[in-house]
Amino acid sequence: MKNVIGNNLTLTLFGESHGKAIGGVLDGFPAGVRIDEELIEDMMSKRRAAGTISTGRQEADIPEFLSGIKNGVSEGTPIAFVIANKSQHSGDYNALAGIARPGHADYTGHVHYLGFEDARGGGHFSGRLTAVMVAAGALCMCMLKERGIAIGTHIASLHGICDRKWNEADLDQEIALLNSRRFAVLDETKEEVMVQEIEKARMDLDSVGGILETAVVHLPSGLGDPEFDSLESMIAHAMFSIPAVKGIQFGKGFDFAEMRGSEANDPFEMKDGKVTTVTNNNGGINGGITNGMPVLFSTVIKPTPSIARKQKTVSFTEGKNVEVEIHGRHDPAIIHRARVVQDAMSALVIADALVTRFGQIDWRKGQ
Amino acid sequence: MKNVIGNNLTLTLFGESHGKAIGGVLDGFPAGVRIDEELIEDMMSKRRAAGTISTGRQEADIPEFLSGIKNGVSEGTPIAFVIANKSQHSGDYNALAGIARPGHADYTGHVHYLGFEDARGGGHFSGRLTAVMVAAGALCMCMLKERGIAIGTHIASLHGICDRKWNEADLDQEIALLNSRRFAVLDETKEEVMVQEIEKARMDLDSVGGILETAVVHLPSGLGDPEFDSLESMIAHAMFSIPAVKGIQFGKGFDFAEMRGSEANDPFEMKDGKVTTVTNNNGGINGGITNGMPVLFSTVIKPTPSIARKQKTVSFTEGKNVEVEIHGRHDPAIIHRARVVQDAMSALVIADALVTRFGQIDWRKGQ
Amino acid sequence: MKNVIGNNLTLTLFGESHGKAIGGVLDGFPAGVRIDEELIEDMMSKRRAAGTISTGRQEADIPEFLSGIKNGVSEGTPIAFVIANKSQHSGDYNALAGIARPGHADYTGHVHYLGFEDARGGGHFSGRLTAVMVAAGALCMCMLKERGIAIGTHIASLHGICDRKWNEADLDQEIALLNSRRFAVLDETKEEVMVQEIEKARMDLDSVGGILETAVVHLPSGLGDPEFDSLESMIAHAMFSIPAVKGIQFGKGFDFAEMRGSEANDPFEMKDGKVTTVTNNNGGINGGITNGMPVLFSTVIKPTPSIARKQKTVSFTEGKNVEVEIHGRHDPAIIHRARVVQDAMSALVIADALVTRFGQIDWRKGQ
Amino acid sequence: MKNVIGNNLTLTLFGESHGKAIGGVLDGFPAGVRIDEELIEDMMSKRRAAGTISTGRQEADIPEFLSGIKNGVSEGTPIAFVIANKSQHSGDYNALAGIARPGHADYTGHVHYLGFEDARGGGHFSGRLTAVMVAAGALCMCMLKERGIAIGTHIASLHGICDRKWNEADLDQEIALLNSRRFAVLDETKEEVMVQEIEKARMDLDSVGGILETAVVHLPSGLGDPEFDSLESMIAHAMFSIPAVKGIQFGKGFDFAEMRGSEANDPFEMKDGKVTTVTNNNGGINGGITNGMPVLFSTVIKPTPSIARKQKTVSFTEGKNVEVEIHGRHDPAIIHRARVVQDAMSALVIADALVTRFGQIDWRKGQ
């Protein structure tokens, strides 16, 4: 279904960038989860514009919860929330009506919605919709915390500038580090270099992208299903619903193409009476199902398509070639904000998988 | 749902490698589609073992259709088919009971199915299940043919040996070329080199993987949905249900990480009165929806985990470290067979998207 | 999924009676449908309390649309709406915490939600949630109007007092009549008698129920699917989500039990070059699929469980027998309000079936 | 989805009456359930033709299991099974091509499947498909037995001849009684009277229907969901997928129409430290969720539409009025066979609800 994701824990998402509000309904969320408002606010704030490197649009983006929470604890009923659209400079976009911004969904949205869409600010395709994903994912994060599962994402690279690699021996510590930082790099010295790279792109009326790497730790083994609902299928499905994601890989990912089986296979070994693997090339998943090792994956975030320089394109309403100059707010990079969207959508998938496997009541238990 | 994929056109898959039969049910398949048995046999045969570079298991793998087809035309009712398991050398695997073959789903399957699974030959996780995907996808390909949509996949690289790039100016021709070949390379001279590389791996009791690149042409624009049912989400979901796929990227994919927006954006232009793009970096998809350009994506196939050399691992039933030597049949590479599985699963997703958008009757029409 | 209904056109519902708001998200609603606000307000007002025979709670219950509608026309994106809860006399219910009102969901909700539910005023089980169903159904009614499909429901009987039967020869006229009336009887003289019966129940601190009969006209033939998604299955599924519905029958329904096949079968005949049936005992559905005749069904609405007299029950939190006297607002009958909920949920199912069969674009066409 | 039913435990159904085989795939069935072949054979045999009162078609109808079961225990993987069609007298039906048998799905199936259906013997709409439902339901019954849940159905009435009422005080005993009988009446003396009534119908070249009443005992409280996935919605959805079912009611059902709230409400009371109700008018369900009392519902089975006498109808291919005389096999009643289909589909719904609530592992536990 179009705007509903999940099997037993589902998120229904709605809204246009320049409509009254955006929001979501999280259904199948178990009863009795303590809702950590600070955690939600922390995740929401990480997604919001920050400093000169991001869009001028500054909205508090506080989700207003309408149902499903009583005295700070989930009721088990659907949790609905809305985020008001306060700061719509629609005028900025009016000039663009009928013009296909390159790399954007203006044209495809127009075809898909037969011309009835509200395209202002990207409409339903706006990156602003990711605020809904973060709010829902933050709720799921509250749930995962109660089971001891943690998730963190870092900017593995930004326009060629690389962060240091994970210390896989202590991912708990790495995740804690990332979640304490607003700019998600493991090597703190890389923040400034990356920010400069973003600034340089802005100066050039251009934009940059990069790679986000995510780790999920303390998952039970046996999570996910074979074939069609493999955890990889579920995570990939969710990640590609984040605008700008154009690729995903698990474990060694595309590097497997140059490896041999003897290098790629992760030998199992007993450790403290538990089955574990010596290496984690497969990113914690065998046959679509968790093996108890950290789930590791990375995505590529394409450079923001909204750039300030003049571009060639078409007016699809007039059926002719035109040039477009996009005024108004746009980010020379969104990867530093997208990291928390990736955390959030990961949390949603994992929470859904837990409820599917362990049920509505005992999802905190089980191997 | 675990073994059901699709929204309006669904495939239900069943079977274990060493059970009586594997098979599937294709539901929601429109009435009135001419079933091209030659096409089905061609796709099935491409998946089957071929020559010395593949497993010794040689089964005809002819799907027996039980319902939904009358006089070579689809009825609109569910199409069920079974593929008998004739050649099970279970003895080969008996020694392995309770031993986690590295890179395989033996251990995760054991946890997931609480120890009740039939793990012989990989059981429900066996690559053999991809025969079901191919049979179902071949049916969908019959449907797509009636709308003029074509799909082709080539081995873009095998253990570092690269095929030539797509000639994007004539993808019809490229796809026709690939579909006429049993070893899917564009540059015919690469077949021998790649086969030698596979042979080398076999000699070393090892295995190799690579990258598969797929093109889908003549899709209507407007196909797919925003966010959660983006065509990228749907295709990725399907691809990760193919065993050994560990990554997927659309258009420039991970190369976007080093590009700027001005390079990444595909300028639109009018051509013969039609909206088109000058470049196709985004692989035919903007905002999750087709823009009418070819859909381009690639996946990485990890090296076959079944290798003949001795490996360290555990017996999860006995809870101790052991060494394992896998006898019996195994492929030093499966990528040359997986190409048609990728075609098939692509066809399934596209056919589903067509029915979702254009309905059960008029899916041949519409822009 | 728990609070999501529909295949291609889905309603996600949320809210508790005494929370901030109730509401819904209608997803998959086609682009380009003119939203008739008067129609929506008319349907909402029919559900609202009216006169002395209904609850004292008088809220405007105006759905505020947050997304998916532009200039009075649907965009094709999710239509979200909220209905604020303004008039919560929670005090009325406080005394009841932990007490299972007979016939209500207090106890089952408590078990289901593990004690974390907000049970005030029935919480998520409140009849108030039907306002969301009506708002969503009214939107679907706008869609059906564009295809010429009409729906009407009358109170066939109320505590044994019967309305006159449908004039099946002119259902268009009958439906128009019903939709023009706030108290849905075909025989206008029955309104007063029924209202007196309700009043009598109120005087006795008691309540009454009855039977609602619905007709849907001008459906295309071929709608619905065999077996599991039969139109009867879909309609029944939706009707049982209306609180107080405890039975449903199509066509002659339970009267079939005393008929013979020769009486029950509807002979087909050609009429104006069209296939039609002489009688309509089967209520327009053969094998789960519409035959082009009016779809006829009726439901039974149990007497409102909230009655003012003292009742025996238990405190499930204290585990002991108690007596309960329910103060606050309650209706001695809801059937005269439920009629429009039945219309609304019928519209939702039919609209979904249309989109499933004819697609997102051409659902106005086709036989 | 058309031929897939269930949320977490799904049945995919396929086949035409005169095709090669019918069958199904049961997915999401938990691992570790002992498959009781005798129970399956018992249920299958109850559905089969018996004596002079049923169709001459006598097939063993033994489901051949293809996957998902190892050494008599479920593996957790999809259980696929086929039932071969051995005895197709297609000649009997050839004369009927293009003729709409009254009360049958010939015409609606023709419209729905655009004329491509295999209509012989009812095709995909044939009552024969209920053998698949019984096989799948019998598997679910094995699962329910492990949790102590029992289900039984009796012929409450047949063409006006009534069985005695349930002894609600000892439903365990009543269910055991019914399941020991091939003709499902509580009052054994009614078998002969009912059989005579069926014979009388046959002599008149006619048919009869009746009412089936089902009881499900020892369900945990808290099962089902509010609103859209209410247990009543789920059960009704499943029952209307059984051909010939035209109505369903829970508890007092349509009798509620003449009751007052004070009579209809079931007072709660503590009994042996457990919450229970004094009466069970609501059939064990409040607000869509089980309250721990027996779930009671009844359906109406319309008289078999296949009758031997000449009937008026149309040839929809020729577009003209014709008369039809249906030769070949047909039952003057199917209600005595349908009882086990009702048991089976009930088991499927309950098993699905258990897995949804308690998960894939611990569905045997929980309140």
Side-chain angles (χ1 to χ4, degrees):
Chain A
M1 275 170 293
K2 287 149 263 308
N3 291 279
V4 185
I5 194 171
N7 287 332
N8 285 289
L9 199 171
T10 61
L11 171 62
T12 303
L13 166 153
F14 64 83
E16 283 82 42
S17 179
H18 288 232
K20 274 199 194 171
I22 59 174
V25 184
L26 193 61
D27 188 27
F29 193 82
V33 176
R34 187 150 295 280
I35 305 305
D36 181 341
E37 283 185 38
E38 244 173 84
L39 172 58
I40 297 172
E41 169 47 24
D42 179 60
M43 288 183 70
M44 293 302 286
S45 79
K46 280 175 177 151
R47 196 205 69 91
R48 273 201 297 274
T52 56
I53 54 170
S54 285
T55 170
R57 187 164 180 174
Q58 295 285 0
E59 306 187 53
D61 280 351
I62 307 291
E64 181 190 5
F65 293 99
L66 301 179
S67 64
I69 299 174
K70 191 179 71 169
N71 303 330
V73 176
S74 67
E75 299 178 41
T77 52
I79 303 179
F81 56 91
V82 291
I83 302 173
N85 288 331
K86 292 170 188 155
S87 151
Q88 309 110 325
H89 296 197
S90 310
D92 293 346
Y93 295 91
N94 273 355
L96 299 181
I99 289 177
R101 288 171 301 158
H104 274 280
D106 302 323
Y107 170 63
T108 56
H110 182 78
V111 175
H112 186 75
Y113 292 122
L114 316 174
F116 293 101
E117 74 285 1
D118 176 1
R120 292 172 300 159
H124 186 56
F125 297 88
S126 168
R128 182 157 168 69
L129 272 289
T130 58
V132 177
M133 298 179 187
V134 173
L139 290 166
C140 294
M141 206 68 92
C142 296
M143 185 183 152
L144 299 190
K145 261 177 51 186
E146 296 197 3
R147 210 191 151 119
I149 295 166
I151 303 178
T153 297
H154 75 120
I155 306 171
S157 82
L158 182 145
H159 200 233
I161 301 165
C162 295
D163 190 17
R164 73 162 167 82
K165 298 213 169 302
W166 292 113
N167 172 12
E168 291 195 30
D170 195 359
L171 281 172
D172 282 291
Q173 172 62 24
E174 298 280 74
I175 289 171
L177 189 74
L178 288 172
N179 290 337
S180 74
R181 290 185 177 162
R182 304 197 70 73
F183 195 92
V185 281
L186 293 167
D187 174 355
E188 220 170 349
T189 69
K190 292 300 171 68
E191 175 170 349
E192 201 188 324
V193 197
M194 288 184 181
V195 168
Q196 281 169 357
E197 189 68 20
I198 297 173
E199 276 306 312
K200 225 165 68 185
R202 171 198 300 281
M203 292 303 143
D204 296 344
L205 311 181
D206 217 328
S207 65
V208 289
I211 291 174
L212 289 175
E213 223 168 33
T214 297
V216 188
V217 294
H218 304 303
L219 287 172
S221 53
L223 210 62
D225 276 287
E227 274 91 31
F228 302 147
D229 278 2
S230 80
L231 201 64
E232 284 151 325
S233 286
M234 306 299 273
I235 290 175
H237 193 131
M239 291 307 131
F240 280 111
S241 68
I242 305 174
V245 168
K246 294 294 279 189
I248 188 169
Q249 55 188 350
F250 290 83
K252 289 291 171 211
F254 280 87
D255 288 348
F256 278 124
E258 309 205 1
M259 292 165 81
R260 278 187 158 191
S262 57
E263 302 161 291
N265 284 348
D266 299 306
F268 288 95
E269 66 170 351
M270 297 305 299
K271 210 170 171 176
D272 307 328
K274 251 191 87 199
V275 173
T276 181
T277 63
V278 179
T279 51
N280 189 13
N281 297 326
N282 283 279
I285 300 177
N286 296 133
I289 295 174
T290 54
N291 63 18
M293 293 295 286
V295 165
L296 300 174
F297 64 92
S298 59
T299 62
V300 60
I301 308 291
K302 72 171 184 175
T304 329
S306 285
I307 55 177
R309 62 174 67 177
K310 194 174 286 185
Q311 296 179 86
K312 295 195 169 171
T313 189
V314 304
S315 160
F316 48 80
T317 45
E318 300 181 35
K320 65 175 189 189
N321 293 327
V322 298
E323 288 198 327
V324 64
E325 243 184 291
I326 310 172
H327 300 291
R329 303 164 298 214
H330 26 76
D331 291 330
I334 51 138
I335 188 168
H336 54 296
R337 299 168 63 192
R339 50 77 75 116
V340 74
V341 185
Q342 191 147 314
D343 286 336
M345 289 305 286
S346 303
L348 185 65
V349 171
I350 300 297
D352 184 24
L354 283 174
V355 173
T356 297
R357 182 147 179 84
F358 300 104
Q360 300 170 333
I361 305 171
D362 284 337
W363 54 271
R364 288 183 192 82
K365 301 187 204 151
Q367 180 185 25
Chain B
M1 274 170 295
K2 288 148 263 307
N3 291 280
V4 185
I5 192 170
N7 287 331
N8 286 288
L9 200 172
T10 60
L11 171 62
T12 303
L13 167 152
F14 64 85
E16 282 83 42
S17 179
H18 289 233
K20 274 199 193 171
I22 59 174
V25 185
L26 193 62
D27 187 28
F29 193 82
V33 176
R34 188 150 294 280
I35 305 306
D36 181 340
E37 282 185 39
E38 246 173 83
L39 172 57
I40 296 171
E41 168 48 24
D42 179 60
M43 288 183 69
M44 294 302 286
S45 78
K46 280 175 177 150
R47 197 206 69 89
R48 273 200 297 272
T52 55
I53 54 171
S54 285
T55 171
R57 187 164 178 172
Q58 296 285 1
E59 305 189 53
D61 280 350
I62 306 292
E64 180 189 6
F65 293 99
L66 301 179
S67 64
I69 299 174
K70 188 179 73 170
N71 302 331
V73 177
S74 67
E75 299 179 40
T77 51
I79 302 179
F81 55 92
V82 292
I83 303 172
N85 288 331
K86 292 170 189 155
S87 151
Q88 308 111 322
H89 297 196
S90 310
D92 293 348
Y93 295 91
N94 272 357
L96 299 181
I99 289 177
R101 288 172 300 159
H104 275 281
D106 302 324
Y107 171 62
T108 56
H110 182 78
V111 175
H112 186 75
Y113 292 122
L114 315 174
F116 293 101
E117 74 284 0
D118 176 1
R120 292 173 300 159
H124 187 56
F125 297 89
S126 168
R128 183 158 168 69
L129 273 288
T130 60
V132 177
M133 299 180 186
V134 173
L139 290 166
C140 294
M141 206 67 92
C142 297
M143 185 184 151
L144 299 189
K145 260 178 53 185
E146 296 196 4
R147 211 192 150 119
I149 295 167
I151 302 177
T153 296
H154 76 121
I155 306 170
S157 82
L158 182 144
H159 200 232
I161 300 165
C162 295
D163 189 18
R164 73 163 167 81
K165 297 215 169 301
W166 292 112
N167 171 12
E168 291 195 30
D170 196 358
L171 280 172
D172 282 293
Q173 173 62 23
E174 298 280 74
I175 289 171
L177 189 73
L178 288 172
N179 290 337
S180 73
R181 290 184 178 161
R182 305 197 70 72
F183 195 92
V185 280
L186 294 166
D187 174 355
E188 219 170 350
T189 68
K190 291 302 170 67
E191 175 170 350
E192 201 188 324
V193 198
M194 288 185 182
V195 168
Q196 281 169 358
E197 189 67 19
I198 296 173
E199 277 306 312
K200 225 166 68 185
R202 171 198 299 281
M203 292 304 143
D204 294 346
L205 311 182
D206 217 328
S207 65
V208 288
I211 292 174
L212 288 176
E213 223 169 32
T214 296
V216 187
V217 294
H218 305 303
L219 287 172
S221 53
L223 211 63
D225 276 286
E227 274 91 30
F228 303 146
D229 277 2
S230 80
L231 201 63
E232 285 150 324
S233 287
M234 306 299 274
I235 290 175
H237 193 130
M239 291 308 131
F240 280 111
S241 67
I242 305 174
V245 169
K246 294 296 279 189
I248 188 170
Q249 54 187 352
F250 290 83
K252 288 291 172 211
F254 280 87
D255 287 348
F256 278 123
E258 308 206 1
M259 292 166 79
R260 278 188 157 190
S262 57
E263 303 161 290
N265 284 347
D266 299 306
F268 287 96
E269 67 171 350
M270 297 304 299
K271 209 171 172 175
D272 308 328
K274 250 192 88 197
V275 174
T276 181
T277 63
V278 180
T279 50
N280 190 13
N281 297 325
N282 283 279
I285 299 177
N286 296 133
I289 294 174
T290 54
N291 61 18
M293 294 294 287
V295 165
L296 300 173
F297 64 91
S298 59
T299 60
V300 60
I301 308 290
K302 71 172 184 174
T304 330
S306 285
I307 55 177
R309 62 174 67 178
K310 194 174 285 185
Q311 295 178 87
K312 294 195 170 173
T313 188
V314 304
S315 160
F316 47 80
T317 45
E318 301 183 33
K320 65 174 189 190
N321 293 327
V322 299
E323 289 198 327
V324 65
E325 243 185 292
I326 310 172
H327 300 290
R329 303 164 298 214
H330 25 75
D331 291 331
I334 52 140
I335 189 168
H336 54 296
R337 299 168 63 192
R339 52 77 72 117
V340 75
V341 184
Q342 191 146 311
D343 286 337
M345 289 305 286
S346 303
L348 184 66
V349 171
I350 300 297
D352 184 23
L354 284 174
V355 173
T356 297
R357 182 149 179 81
F358 299 105
Q360 300 170 333
I361 305 171
D362 285 336
W363 54 271
R364 288 182 191 84
K365 300 187 204 150
Q367 181 185 24
Chain C
M1 276 170 293
K2 288 150 262 308
N3 291 279
V4 185
I5 192 171
N7 287 332
N8 285 289
L9 200 171
T10 60
L11 171 61
T12 303
L13 167 152
F14 64 84
E16 283 82 42
S17 179
H18 288 233
K20 275 198 192 172
I22 60 174
V25 185
L26 193 61
D27 188 28
F29 193 82
V33 176
R34 188 150 296 279
I35 305 306
D36 182 340
E37 283 186 38
E38 247 173 82
L39 172 58
I40 297 172
E41 168 47 25
D42 179 60
M43 288 183 69
M44 293 302 287
S45 78
K46 280 174 177 151
R47 196 205 70 91
R48 272 199 298 273
T52 55
I53 54 171
S54 284
T55 171
R57 187 164 178 172
Q58 295 285 0
E59 305 188 51
D61 280 352
I62 308 292
E64 180 190 6
F65 294 99
L66 301 179
S67 65
I69 299 175
K70 189 180 71 170
N71 303 330
V73 177
S74 67
E75 299 179 41
T77 51
I79 302 179
F81 56 91
V82 292
I83 303 172
N85 289 331
K86 292 170 189 154
S87 151
Q88 309 111 324
H89 296 197
S90 310
D92 293 348
Y93 295 91
N94 272 356
L96 299 181
I99 289 176
R101 289 172 298 159
H104 274 281
D106 302 323
Y107 170 63
T108 56
H110 182 78
V111 175
H112 186 75
Y113 292 121
L114 316 175
F116 293 101
E117 74 285 1
D118 176 2
R120 293 173 300 159
H124 187 56
F125 297 89
S126 167
R128 182 157 169 68
L129 272 289
T130 59
V132 177
M133 298 179 185
V134 173
L139 290 166
C140 294
M141 206 68 92
C142 297
M143 186 183 149
L144 299 190
K145 260 178 52 183
E146 297 197 3
R147 211 191 150 119
I149 295 166
I151 302 177
T153 297
H154 76 121
I155 305 171
S157 82
L158 182 145
H159 200 231
I161 301 165
C162 294
D163 189 17
R164 73 163 168 82
K165 297 215 170 301
W166 292 113
N167 172 10
E168 291 196 30
D170 196 358
L171 280 172
D172 281 293
Q173 174 61 24
E174 298 280 76
I175 289 171
L177 189 74
L178 288 172
N179 290 337
S180 74
R181 291 185 177 162
R182 304 197 71 71
F183 195 93
V185 281
L186 294 167
D187 174 355
E188 220 170 350
T189 68
K190 291 302 170 68
E191 175 170 350
E192 202 189 323
V193 197
M194 288 184 182
V195 169
Q196 281 169 358
E197 189 68 18
I198 297 173
E199 276 306 312
K200 225 166 68 186
R202 172 199 298 281
M203 291 305 142
D204 295 346
L205 311 181
D206 216 328
S207 66
V208 289
I211 291 173
L212 288 176
E213 223 170 31
T214 296
V216 187
V217 294
H218 303 303
L219 287 172
S221 53
L223 210 62
D225 275 286
E227 273 93 28
F228 303 146
D229 278 2
S230 80
L231 201 63
E232 285 151 324
S233 287
M234 306 299 273
I235 291 175
H237 193 130
M239 291 308 131
F240 280 112
S241 66
I242 305 174
V245 168
K246 294 296 280 190
I248 188 170
Q249 54 187 352
F250 290 83
K252 289 290 172 211
F254 279 88
D255 288 347
F256 278 124
E258 307 205 2
M259 293 167 79
R260 278 187 159 192
S262 56
E263 302 161 289
N265 283 349
D266 300 306
F268 287 96
E269 68 172 349
M270 297 303 301
K271 210 171 173 175
D272 308 329
K274 251 192 88 200
V275 174
T276 181
T277 64
V278 180
T279 49
N280 190 14
N281 297 327
N282 283 279
I285 299 177
N286 296 133
I289 294 175
T290 55
N291 62 17
M293 295 294 288
V295 165
L296 300 173
F297 64 91
S298 59
T299 60
V300 60
I301 307 291
K302 72 171 184 174
T304 330
S306 285
I307 55 177
R309 62 173 67 177
K310 194 174 286 186
Q311 296 178 87
K312 292 194 171 175
T313 188
V314 303
S315 160
F316 47 80
T317 44
E318 300 181 35
K320 65 174 189 190
N321 294 327
V322 298
E323 289 197 325
V324 64
E325 243 185 292
I326 309 172
H327 301 290
R329 302 164 300 214
H330 26 77
D331 292 331
I334 52 140
I335 188 168
H336 54 297
R337 298 169 63 193
R339 53 77 74 116
V340 75
V341 185
Q342 191 146 312
D343 286 337
M345 290 304 285
S346 303
L348 184 66
V349 171
I350 300 297
D352 184 24
L354 283 174
V355 172
T356 297
R357 182 146 178 82
F358 300 105
Q360 299 170 334
I361 304 171
D362 284 337
W363 54 271
R364 289 183 192 82
K365 301 187 203 149
Q367 179 186 21
Chain D
M1 274 170 293
K2 287 149 265 306
N3 291 279
V4 185
I5 193 171
N7 286 332
N8 285 290
L9 199 171
T10 61
L11 171 62
T12 302
L13 166 152
F14 64 83
E16 283 82 42
S17 180
H18 289 231
K20 275 198 193 173
I22 59 174
V25 185
L26 192 62
D27 187 27
F29 193 82
V33 176
R34 187 151 296 280
I35 305 306
D36 181 341
E37 283 185 38
E38 246 173 83
L39 171 57
I40 297 172
E41 169 47 25
D42 179 60
M43 289 183 69
M44 293 302 287
S45 78
K46 280 175 177 152
R47 196 205 70 89
R48 273 200 297 272
T52 55
I53 54 170
S54 285
T55 172
R57 187 165 178 172
Q58 296 284 1
E59 305 190 52
D61 280 350
I62 306 292
E64 180 190 5
F65 293 99
L66 301 178
S67 64
I69 299 174
K70 191 180 71 170
N71 303 330
V73 177
S74 67
E75 299 179 41
T77 52
I79 303 179
F81 55 91
V82 292
I83 302 173
N85 288 331
K86 292 169 189 157
S87 150
Q88 309 111 325
H89 296 197
S90 310
D92 293 347
Y93 294 92
N94 272 357
L96 298 181
I99 289 176
R101 288 172 300 158
H104 274 281
D106 302 324
Y107 170 62
T108 56
H110 182 78
V111 175
H112 186 75
Y113 292 121
L114 315 174
F116 293 101
E117 74 284 0
D118 176 2
R120 291 173 301 160
H124 187 56
F125 297 88
S126 167
R128 182 157 169 68
L129 272 288
T130 57
V132 177
M133 298 178 186
V134 173
L139 290 166
C140 294
M141 206 68 93
C142 297
M143 186 184 150
L144 299 190
K145 260 177 51 184
E146 297 196 3
R147 211 192 151 118
I149 295 167
I151 302 178
T153 296
H154 76 120
I155 305 171
S157 81
L158 183 145
H159 200 232
I161 301 165
C162 294
D163 189 17
R164 73 162 167 83
K165 298 215 171 299
W166 291 114
N167 172 12
E168 291 196 29
D170 196 359
L171 281 172
D172 280 292
Q173 173 62 23
E174 298 280 74
I175 290 170
L177 189 73
L178 289 172
N179 290 337
S180 74
R181 290 185 179 162
R182 305 196 70 72
F183 195 92
V185 280
L186 294 168
D187 173 355
E188 221 170 349
T189 69
K190 292 300 169 71
E191 176 170 350
E192 201 188 324
V193 197
M194 288 186 182
V195 168
Q196 281 169 359
E197 189 68 18
I198 296 174
E199 276 306 313
K200 226 165 67 184
R202 171 199 299 282
M203 291 305 144
D204 296 344
L205 311 182
D206 216 330
S207 66
V208 289
I211 292 174
L212 288 176
E213 223 169 32
T214 296
V216 187
V217 295
H218 304 304
L219 287 172
S221 53
L223 210 62
D225 276 287
E227 274 91 29
F228 303 147
D229 278 2
S230 80
L231 202 63
E232 284 151 325
S233 286
M234 307 299 274
I235 290 174
H237 193 131
M239 291 308 131
F240 280 111
S241 67
I242 304 174
V245 169
K246 294 296 279 190
I248 187 169
Q249 55 187 352
F250 290 83
K252 289 291 172 210
F254 280 88
D255 289 346
F256 278 125
E258 308 205 2
M259 292 166 80
R260 278 188 158 192
S262 57
E263 302 162 290
N265 284 349
D266 299 307
F268 288 95
E269 67 171 351
M270 297 304 301
K271 210 169 172 176
D272 307 329
K274 251 193 88 198
V275 174
T276 181
T277 64
V278 179
T279 51
N280 190 14
N281 297 326
N282 283 279
I285 299 177
N286 296 132
I289 295 174
T290 54
N291 62 18
M293 294 294 288
V295 165
L296 300 174
F297 64 92
S298 59
T299 61
V300 59
I301 306 291
K302 73 171 184 175
T304 329
S306 285
I307 55 177
R309 62 173 66 178
K310 194 174 284 186
Q311 295 179 87
K312 294 195 169 171
T313 190
V314 304
S315 159
F316 47 81
T317 45
E318 299 182 36
K320 64 173 191 193
N321 293 326
V322 298
E323 289 197 325
V324 64
E325 243 184 289
I326 309 172
H327 300 290
R329 303 163 299 213
H330 26 75
D331 291 330
I334 52 139
I335 189 169
H336 54 296
R337 299 168 63 192
R339 51 78 74 117
V340 74
V341 185
Q342 191 146 312
D343 286 336
M345 289 304 286
S346 304
L348 185 65
V349 171
I350 300 297
D352 184 23
L354 283 175
V355 173
T356 297
R357 182 147 178 83
F358 299 104
Q360 300 170 333
I361 305 171
D362 285 336
W363 54 271
R364 288 183 192 84
K365 301 187 202 151
Q367 180 185 23

